[in-house]
Amino acid sequence: MCRVFAGQDPEGYRQINRSIRIDGHSTSIQLEGTFWALLDEIAENQNLTTPKFISKLYDEAIEINGAIPNFASMLRTTCALYLRGHRPDMDEMAPKREAA
C-alpha cells in the first residue's frame, strides 16, 4: 500500500511559485505541482484561466467570509473538495439576471 504513496513522482510534490494578480495586486502563491495541475483542471472546467479562476475564488471567498487566513491552504482544500466530487451547480455558473 505505501508504495503507491511513497513511490510517487517527486515532481508532484515539488513546490512551484506562480505570480498572480488578485484584487489588483500582484502576489506569489506557492503550491505543490499536483495542486497546480488540479487548479488548472478546475479552471478549465469553469472555462476560465487559472489566474482568473483563483482571482474569482478569492473575491467570492472574501464576500462570503470577510477574510481568508491562509489562501494557499484554501486552494489546497478546494482541490480536495474537487477530488471528492464537489462541483459548482450549473445555476452557480450561469450569469445572474437582473430582476425586471
Side-chain angles (χ1 to χ4, degrees), residues 41-72:
E41 181 179 323
I42 295 167
E44 185 178 323
N45 287 336
Q46 299 279 317
N47 296 317
L48 297 169
T49 64
T50 303
K52 185 70 175 171
F53 169 73
I54 290 172
S55 181
K56 187 172 181 160
L57 177 63
Y58 177 87
D59 290 343
E60 289 180 13
I62 289 293
E63 182 180 317
I64 293 167
N65 299 311
I68 305 168
N70 187 330
F71 191 57

Side-chain angles (χ1 to χ4, degrees), residues 15-22 25-32 35-36 39 50-51 53-55 57-58 70-76:
Q15 295 284 313
I16 299 171
N17 283 306
R18 287 195 190 175
S19 293
I20 294 180
R21 186 168 290 280
I22 296 176
H25 303 284
S26 185
T27 188
S28 180
I29 299 173
Q30 184 178 52
L31 295 171
E32 296 76 12
F35 290 112
W36 282 120
L39 288 170
T50 303
F53 169 73
I54 290 172
S55 181
L57 177 63
Y58 177 87
N70 187 330
F71 191 57
S73 291
M74 182 186 171
L75 292 173
R76 287 184 189 93

